[in-house]
Amino acid sequence: MALQAGIVGLPNVGKSTLFNALTAAGAESANYPFCTIEPNTGIVPVHDARLEQLHSIQDTEKIIPTAVEIVDIAGLVRGASKGEGLGNQFLGNIRNVDAVLHVVRCFADPDVVHVDGGVDPTRDIETIEIELAMSDLESVQRRLDRFSKASKSGNKEAAFHRDIAQKLVDAFQDGTAARNLEWTEDEWASVLDAQLITSKPVLYVCNVDEDGIAAGNEYVEAVRSHAKAEGSGLVIICGKVEAEISELDAEDRDAFLEDLGLTEPGLHRLARETYSLLGLQTYFTCGPKEIRAWTIKEGFKAPQAAGVIHTDFERGFIRAEVYTIPDILEYKSEAGLKAAGKLRVEGKDYVVKDGDVMHFRFNV
């Protein structure tokens, strides 16, 4: 799925350090604003323990996880909507992504400059949100003008979109994001049609120091309160530690994680949360050539899922043979699944569930 999540935040909150650890793409990281000028893009594998569970049953030549596409975008400063800093360029880049990873500085360090003079996560979040709302205000004002003119002839659809645009204008003037307002399904469709930055889903990424990895800190709690109020998710990451982990081999990494009291790198959680934020889910194919995780949108039916492998699979779809990972772990083989009645045959209307293992039958 060609969906992107953009890493955003103020300068010097750890965006590029985090991006480097996620992608090993070598994006420049330095202690001054705007060291990231052009957006850097990387493909990040999504660690999924279910692949190894399948491998415990099926020998295979290779294992292929799913992935998400991450874009590192230059830092945003106060006044960006009026062109301050790299404002216009930043806003153009973020408008092109599907979801937002908002990195918030949740650590104090006198050696790392803060663009606004001191660490205050609530203020930092508000700075970003106000600038994004102001950018959306300009866009939606043009939409309001267009539909206001069209509605004067009695066009009911234009009047509907006009009223939605007016509600958005009022919200943006208060610095409120589109996603934080109450909408009906039809109203939300109009909002999405406007292609607004503040309609994108957000995951808050709290960048802490080593002391805050396990339990967080007072800064994290401030972000958690904000995220909870708007129904957004939150992940705690120590960018510096994750950068170190990304350079270790498997044995040293496991020992390092154990010393930190962690069971997995924080980046694994971040990748999975990003995957979910984009409305994605996974099904698996399993065989001696490969065990593979495939990315689909939530709600895909079996032919659509088959089409992710190859368009011929969707066009010629006949049926899907489906089983679950808990069942294969219990019965040890597909023969055992069949004997127990756990290998299902599903047709064109079957809605694929996250974690399904599938074999497709199709006409060429």
Side-chain angles (χ1 to χ4, degrees):
M1 313 304 303
L3 297 177
Q4 294 181 329
I7 300 178
V8 304
L10 294 173
N12 289 354
V13 297
K15 301 185 308 301
S16 292
T17 298
L18 181 62
F19 178 80
N20 289 344
L22 275 167
T23 65
E28 181 186 8
S29 180
N31 181 25
Y32 56 89
F34 315 126
C35 63
T36 305
I37 298 176
E38 296 297 330
N40 297 277
T41 302
I43 304 299
V44 181
V46 179
H47 183 265
D48 195 324
R50 295 174 295 185
L51 287 165
E52 289 300 329
Q53 290 175 333
L54 288 170
H55 192 209
S56 71
I57 301 296
Q58 172 69 62
D59 287 333
T60 193
E61 294 179 11
K62 55 185 175 181
I63 298 174
I64 305 174
T66 58
V68 292
E69 191 168 336
I70 304 292
V71 182
D72 181 29
I73 298 170
L76 182 70
V77 296
R78 196 180 305 276
S81 60
K82 297 180 176 64
E84 294 295 328
L86 297 174
N88 293 334
Q89 188 169 343
F90 172 101
L91 295 167
N93 291 332
I94 190 177
R95 202 174 290 280
N96 293 328
V97 302
D98 302 284
V100 174
L101 307 181
H102 186 162
V103 181
V104 185
R105 179 171 166 177
C106 292
F107 66 90
D109 185 341
D111 295 328
V112 179
V113 176
H114 191 291
V115 71
D116 282 335
V119 180
D120 184 340
T122 302
R123 178 205 60 210
D124 293 351
I125 290 172
E126 289 178 350
T127 295
I128 296 290
E129 291 188 341
I130 288 171
E131 294 303 327
L132 298 184
M134 290 301 100
S135 175
D136 277 349
L137 175 61
E138 181 179 349
S139 174
V140 83
Q141 185 66 62
R142 293 193 296 269
R143 185 176 175 87
L144 175 61
D145 293 343
R146 185 170 77 254
F147 283 116
S148 292
K149 291 176 182 177
S151 66
K152 289 179 180 179
S153 64
N155 186 317
K156 291 183 178 180
E157 183 178 355
F160 172 77
H161 292 301
R162 176 203 63 200
D163 293 345
I164 301 303
Q166 183 62 64
K167 182 176 177 178
L168 287 165
V169 166
D170 295 341
F172 295 153
Q173 287 174 338
D174 291 333
T176 302
R179 67 180 180 278
N180 293 337
L181 300 173
E182 294 292 330
W183 304 103
T184 66
E185 186 175 342
D186 288 343
E187 289 172 340
W188 184 241
S190 177
V191 173
L192 293 180
D193 184 61
Q195 298 182 315
L196 303 171
I197 300 172
T198 63
S199 67
K200 302 177 189 295
V202 173
L203 177 69
Y204 291 100
V205 183
C206 296
N207 189 17
V208 301
D209 56 21
E210 191 170 326
D211 292 336
I213 292 175
N217 54 38
E218 61 182 307
Y219 301 131
V220 171
E221 292 311 307
V223 180
R224 193 187 307 279
S225 177
H226 180 91
K228 184 177 180 180
E230 67 172 37
S232 294
L234 178 146
V235 172
I236 299 173
I237 293 288
C238 177
K240 184 177 180 181
V241 166
E242 296 296 333
E244 294 176 15
I245 291 173
S246 69
E247 296 178 354
L248 298 175
D249 59 34
E251 185 176 341
D252 290 339
R253 183 184 65 233
D254 291 343
F256 187 46
L257 288 170
E258 186 176 350
D259 289 343
L260 292 171
L262 301 176
T263 58
E264 65 175 350
L267 296 183
H268 287 181
R269 297 194 307 276
L270 178 57
R272 289 196 298 269
E273 290 291 336
T274 302
Y275 193 77
S276 176
L277 186 69
L278 289 166
L280 305 176
Q281 64 181 30
T282 302
Y283 78 86
F284 301 92
T285 53
C286 181
K289 291 291 186 182
E290 68 177 30
I291 296 172
R292 182 162 183 163
W294 297 90
T295 299
I296 59 172
K297 290 287 288 182
E298 294 174 2
F300 265 28
K301 293 184 178 180
Q304 293 173 289
V308 172
I309 299 176
H310 197 287
T311 53
D312 287 347
F313 284 27
E314 182 171 4
R315 283 196 297 266
F317 178 87
I318 300 172
R319 66 180 183 275
E321 296 173 356
V322 186
Y323 60 87
T324 68
I325 292 175
D327 284 343
I328 193 67
L329 292 175
E330 180 176 355
Y331 296 101
K332 306 302 182 184
S333 68
E334 290 191 15
L337 290 171
K338 289 178 181 178
K342 296 294 185 179
L343 185 64
R344 309 190 315 271
V345 176
E346 302 288 356
K348 292 182 178 181
D349 292 330
Y350 176 68
V351 177
V352 179
K353 297 179 178 62
D354 185 69
D356 279 348
V357 186
M358 309 184 76
H359 294 305
F360 298 105
R361 305 298 180 188
F362 64 98
N363 288 317
V364 177

